[in-house]
Amino acid sequence: MALLKKINQILLLLLVLTLCAILYNKVHQVSSALKNETVDLESPEEMEEDIPVVICAAAGRMGATIAAISSIYSNTEANVLFYVVGLKTTIPHIRKWIESSKLKEIKFKVVEFNPMVLKGKIRQDASRPELLQPLNFVRFYLPLLIQKHEKVIYLDDDIIVQGDIQELYDTKLAPGHAAAFSDDCDLPSTHEMIRSVGMQNTYMGFLDYRKQAIRDLGISPSTCSFNPGVIVANMTEWKHQRITKQLEKWMQRNVEENLYSSTLGGGVATSPMLIVFHGKYSTINPMWHIRHLGWSPDTRYSEHFLQEAKLLHWNGRYKPWDYPSVHTDIWENWFIPDPSGKFKLTRPDS
């Protein structure tokens, strides 16, 4: 009997020890799991938000896209996700260019734009046919191309970024505003440039006020215009206000009534945006859109002013990859030669 009691005590002790071992292992595993989870939660790569930047890659000017991306990537520590939009025929070229250069480290997605969405919406205009290229209208369709982001930056390809793109992304949009632009009257330093080359910076320069449909808008022709080459957009508001549908409506009306043309202010994509966003947009810091560098082959900004600028835009006919043009040295700092040799800079000695 005593022997049986002793055996039971030994078995009980072994059972207690086994339970203790199991409990120790469980606690240790939970502790390790919590530790790993904490590391994951605190990982900067997981916590930081991607900054989506949309930029087009058009045939004949892909070098512009490369220079723009290069300048953005080199001047920020932020996580930038580039959406490179092209036509089916141009996508292989731009993809190879990126992957075969130092830009292979960037985070990017290539998006194909179907020009059939523009069928019947563009009035043919022989004065500046380059403005009728399908990719010029990509900015109208941002929510259809970029779907998982609340806030998006759109940039024309003929730009160079000298500041940290995070600063532009942090632009505050007022409640109810689907986008932020830079006003054409917002920076006194550019006024002399505008006067010297005869540019327009009011609605009169973009819309035909002889047409009843334009007069019925009730917008003063002296209202300051804005440039949609740099956009910070709120995708939720854009979709809620059906901005794309509104823009398409005015495109179709222009086809029928010739309400605006490229012979006016210089952009068949700008005019419908001026109508749709009138009085309903936020503003971008003026130094984040120093433009008109492509309006004259002779008129230049001061070097000091250009150094202060966060973003430079060669809007106009005179592009920095062509000749003649101004401030090409700044642009070439960010240009990466085409490994295929298809895209070449035009220079006086070339």
Side-chain angles (χ1 to χ4, degrees), residues 5 21 27 34 78 115 150 173 190 192 225 236 240 254 268 270 289 297 335:
K5 185 176 180 181
V27 170
L34 287 173
E150 169 73 10
L173 274 67
T190 65
E192 184 179 346
S225 54
T236 299
H240 176 70
N254 184 57
V268 292
T270 299
H289 196 178
F335 175 67

Side-chain angles (χ1 to χ4, degrees), residues 63 320-323 331-332 335 337 342-347 350:
W321 55 90
D322 280 336
Y323 180 82
W331 184 86
E332 281 193 52
F335 175 67
K342 294 177 183 177
F343 182 92
K344 293 182 173 63
L345 302 182
T346 303
R347 294 295 180 254
S350 63

